[in-house]
Amino acid sequence: MKRPMEGGESCARALSWSKSLVRRWFNIKSKAQDFHSDNVFGQGADDEWSTFPVRETCKVGKSKAERPYKESTDQAHRGKFVLDAAEVTETLEYRIFVATWNVGGKSPPSNLNLEDWLRASPLADIYVLGFQEIVPLNAGNVLGTEDNGPAKKWVSLIRKALNNLLDASSNGGYQTHSLVSNPVVEQNDHIGCSSTGQRNSSFFHRHSFQSWGLSMRMDEDIMAPQVRLDHRYSVCDQVIFGSRQSDYDPSYRLNGFYDDEYMNGDSPGAVVFSPTSHGHAASSTEERDGSTGHSRYCLLASKQMVGIFLTVWVKREIRDSIRNLKVSCVGRGLMGYLGNKGSISISLSFHQTSFCFICSHLTSGQKEGDELRRNSDVMEILRKTRFPPVHGDEKSPETILEHDRIIWLGDLNYRIALSHRSAKALVEMRNWNALLEKDQLRLEQRCGGVFEGWNEGRIYFPPTYKYSNNSDQYSGDVMNQKEKCRTPAWCDRILWYGRGLNQLSYFRGESRFSDHRPVSSIFTVEVESIKHNKI
């Protein structure tokens, strides 16, 4: 016979349950706020999707490259010799593929082929892929236990696509178009502002990766290539709004935003995993490309907060040059705290250069004044995102703006400040310049309301939202009374901040998987590395 609970015991359990629920609701740091990464430290052939827990403290793992540098620095302080920073460091160049996709709460089928989406020539060294609404944003998912089933499916599909592309590229299994050879517009250079050229009547009718599993097949270990020209629109020109001292003065460091609402100065959900590095990447593009045939992409880190999901993938040969992995989540949804809206940020150090990738899903709505709520989301994300300090590394960034290279991606939800009829008329004319003049994000940047000093490439592709189900028609074009009518808008964006980032292309995909079209960008990034022959 069970003993009835006494009043004190009942109150204690209720209090414990209440704290647990509050921590879940308000996204406060706990052991559940871990990130996932491949277990690449062993000699096993298969990668494992492992969970790395919160560390009480973070110690810097000294790589072979760093140890002699520290020793030489100590000797310099003792007066034995002095080396200028330029003499002991060199600048390497890498490629980063960045993409954002709101998948509308749909779980991907096992035969969804992502190779068309992720294909680039040459393949990138790092892939940063952000998703929104990987689960439906209903009360069960927002308030209940996190459903990570779709996240695992996306990881599996991304891994398969990246490694298939890498194998095919090294074996010459197919030809890929270059996103750099014609970086302004890859097809139909009349798109955007050019007044010349004949319009393509099949603009929205192209092969895309909504036709699952049709691009590349493995049949008895033989790659059967099907050359598919991706009609993607990209640009290398950048648009800069505002200016700051840090844009041109390398010695200037921004002061971060401080959050006094959380204990110990940590943002909710800040976690850290800092493995020890044991090597360094090849010092030239030729050396790195030469070993491609023996390389595989591995999952560096992934993090989910309700429907937001951010993953970072790297070629295996550069994995050991990355350290100080840290993750921070900020909820901006219901009550201003829940995770149905907000951001996930991943911080890392690549050689001697710090990077921060922010994936966000901002407040929705197309009513007048909703853009101010989105501005507030951005400012709160900048203010509340906190990364734990790294023990022994005084330069370890703790805020977003303290990083050397910053890329912000996601469904920012900024709309077009026009009526539905006026916006649709400009879309039909493909007059993107006139439409962008009323783009809320551009308008808010110009007046200094948000993202001051941040950069975005010129947009030469159609609005990415909102499409009818499994259609190339915008919502409202199809006579469906159950369908919500939304004004077309560029909700899905990629911006960057800091020096050493050069955008090569900015384009959208054409999958019909959701009511959004994925948006991607390719960057070359400068990374500072130690010259081993000078140490």
Side-chain angles (χ1 to χ4, degrees):
M1 183 175 179
K2 292 185 178 180
R3 174 181 58 87
M5 286 192 300
E6 297 180 0
E9 184 179 352
S10 176
C11 290
R13 289 194 179 184
L15 181 60
S16 175
W17 176 85
S18 174
K19 287 182 178 179
S20 175
L21 185 61
V22 167
R23 293 180 71 89
R24 164 66 182 164
W25 279 7
F26 291 98
N27 213 18
I28 299 175
K29 180 173 64 176
S30 67
K31 290 184 178 181
Q33 299 294 330
D34 301 334
F35 66 89
H36 299 276
S37 180
D38 282 345
N39 181 12
V40 297
F41 306 105
Q43 301 299 320
D46 296 328
D47 293 328
E48 297 178 2
W49 196 41
S50 305
T51 302
F52 294 104
V54 179
R55 299 292 180 90
E56 293 279 340
T57 59
C58 177
K59 298 182 180 180
V60 181
K62 298 296 182 182
S63 67
K64 292 180 180 179
E66 293 177 287
R67 291 174 191 142
Y69 177 73
K70 185 178 186 304
E71 294 172 2
S72 65
T73 305
D74 294 340
Q75 290 176 347
H77 284 305
R78 291 195 296 267
K80 292 186 177 181
F81 62 88
V82 177
L83 289 177
D84 185 77
E87 297 180 27
V88 297
T89 60
E90 61 181 339
T91 300
L92 305 179
E93 188 175 272
Y94 294 85
R95 284 177 177 249
I96 298 182
F97 184 106
V98 182
T100 177
W101 194 5
N102 184 321
V103 294
K106 297 170 65 176
S107 182
S110 59
N111 60 345
L112 178 62
N113 192 312
L114 302 181
E115 292 174 24
D116 280 354
W117 179 37
L118 304 178
R119 181 175 296 148
S121 179
L123 294 175
D125 302 290
I126 300 174
Y127 280 80
V128 180
L129 308 177
F131 298 84
Q132 303 82 43
E133 296 189 44
I134 65 167
V135 297
L137 299 184
N138 53 40
N141 286 324
V142 175
L143 302 175
T145 303
E146 191 166 77
D147 179 8
N148 60 9
K152 291 183 178 180
K153 292 181 180 179
W154 284 111
V155 166
S156 177
L157 292 170
I158 294 168
R159 187 192 308 281
K160 179 181 178 181
L162 288 178
N163 287 313
N164 281 351
L165 289 171
L166 191 59
D167 290 342
S169 177
S170 60
N171 296 331
Y174 64 82
Q175 296 177 349
T176 59
H177 66 286
S178 173
L179 293 175
V180 188
S181 60
N182 186 7
V184 177
V185 176
E186 294 175 14
Q187 181 198 13
N188 302 338
D189 58 2
H190 67 277
I191 298 299
C193 28
S194 175
S195 58
T196 62
Q198 182 179 359
R199 290 182 180 176
N200 183 1
S201 60
S202 61
F203 178 78
F204 288 110
H205 302 283
R206 52 153 295 219
H207 293 293
S208 61
F209 58 95
Q210 77 264 15
S211 52
W212 303 324
L214 296 180
S215 63
M216 301 295 297
R217 300 261 187 206
M218 291 296 294
D219 185 12
E220 298 180 358
D221 297 328
I222 298 177
M223 183 68 69
Q226 294 183 6
V227 178
R228 308 245 309 248
L229 295 179
D230 235 353
H231 299 178
R232 299 188 289 192
Y233 303 87
S234 62
V235 63
C236 63
D237 297 332
Q238 66 183 38
V239 179
I240 303 177
F241 295 93
S243 59
R244 294 185 180 182
Q245 183 181 355
S246 58
D247 289 335
Y248 52 85
D249 185 356
S251 64
Y252 180 82
R253 290 193 65 83
L254 289 167
N255 292 324
F257 295 84
Y258 292 94
D259 180 16
D260 54 2
E261 297 180 13
Y262 295 93
M263 295 181 294
N264 303 323
D266 290 340
S267 66
V271 300
V272 59
F273 172 69
S274 182
T276 303
S277 299
H278 295 290
H280 61 280
S283 59
S284 69
T285 303
E286 290 77 9
E287 291 176 20
R288 287 185 278 118
D289 290 345
S291 61
T292 300
H294 304 285
S295 170
R296 306 291 291 177
Y297 283 100
C298 60
L299 176 63
L300 182 69
S302 72
K303 181 75 185 102
Q304 178 182 357
M305 181 180 73
V306 188
I308 305 173
F309 185 49
L310 179 59
T311 68
V312 180
W313 301 78
V314 300
K315 287 183 176 178
R316 188 179 296 273
E317 67 263 24
I318 67 174
R319 174 62 184 86
D320 286 344
S321 300
I322 299 174
R323 66 190 192 283
N324 299 340
L325 276 171
K326 297 175 283 186
V327 178
S328 180
C329 299
V330 175
R332 290 292 298 163
L334 296 174
M335 300 184 291
Y337 287 94
L338 296 187
N340 55 307
K341 293 292 192 294
S343 69
I344 298 173
S345 301
I346 294 181
S347 170
L348 59 90
S349 295
F350 186 14
H351 288 295
Q352 308 303 310
T353 303
S354 61
F355 286 80
C356 186
F357 304 111
I358 307 102
C359 177
S360 68
H361 192 186
L362 305 184
T363 298
S364 61
Q366 58 182 13
K367 300 188 302 294
E368 184 178 356
D370 285 341
E371 70 276 9
L372 301 180
R373 298 169 60 197
R374 291 185 271 273
N375 293 355
S376 177
D377 288 344
V378 172
M379 298 309 298
E380 287 299 290
I381 289 169
L382 288 170
R383 188 174 71 90
K384 291 183 177 180
T385 298
R386 280 293 180 279
F387 301 103
V390 178
H391 179 70
D393 186 355
E394 297 179 355
K395 296 183 179 180
S396 175
E398 298 181 29
T399 68
I400 290 175
L401 294 178
E402 289 177 356
H403 290 77
D404 300 316
R405 317 277 188 263
I406 309 167
I407 298 178
W408 192 309
L409 57 140
D411 180 358
L412 306 189
N413 254 321
Y414 285 95
R415 308 302 174 92
I416 302 298
L418 288 173
S419 67
H420 180 79
R421 177 177 297 181
S422 299
K424 289 298 293 294
L426 292 174
V427 168
E428 291 175 358
M429 296 169 58
R430 299 175 189 168
N431 191 342
W432 312 138
N433 284 343
L435 206 57
L436 283 166
E437 287 295 323
K438 297 297 183 179
D439 175 71
Q440 289 180 344
L441 177 55
R442 297 286 173 91
L443 292 173
E444 292 300 312
Q445 283 182 301
R446 290 192 184 104
C447 69
V450 72
F451 286 118
E452 182 181 0
W454 289 69
N455 310 318
E456 183 184 21
R458 290 187 179 180
I459 295 176
Y460 287 103
F461 48 83
T464 57
Y465 174 83
K466 170 181 172 53
Y467 283 90
S468 298
N469 184 40
N470 195 29
S471 170
D472 288 325
Q473 301 296 318
Y474 286 106
S475 171
D477 290 352
V478 181
M479 298 302 296
N480 185 349
Q481 295 181 354
K482 295 182 180 180
E483 188 177 65
K484 294 181 180 179
C485 183
R486 293 287 185 266
T487 302
W490 286 282
C491 290
D492 312 281
R493 313 290 275 266
I494 298 173
L495 298 90
W496 75 94
Y497 189 88
R499 305 180 63 182
L501 282 161
N502 178 37
Q503 188 183 55
L504 301 179
S505 57
Y506 193 27
F507 54 95
R508 60 170 251 177
E510 297 302 327
S511 171
R512 296 176 179 176
F513 182 74
S514 79
D515 56 354
H516 289 251
R517 296 297 184 258
V519 171
S520 308
S521 181
I522 296 178
F523 296 88
T524 58
V525 295
E526 296 178 358
V527 177
E528 299 299 321
S529 179
I530 295 172
K531 292 181 181 178
H532 306 288
N533 59 343
K534 290 289 185 179
I535 301 302

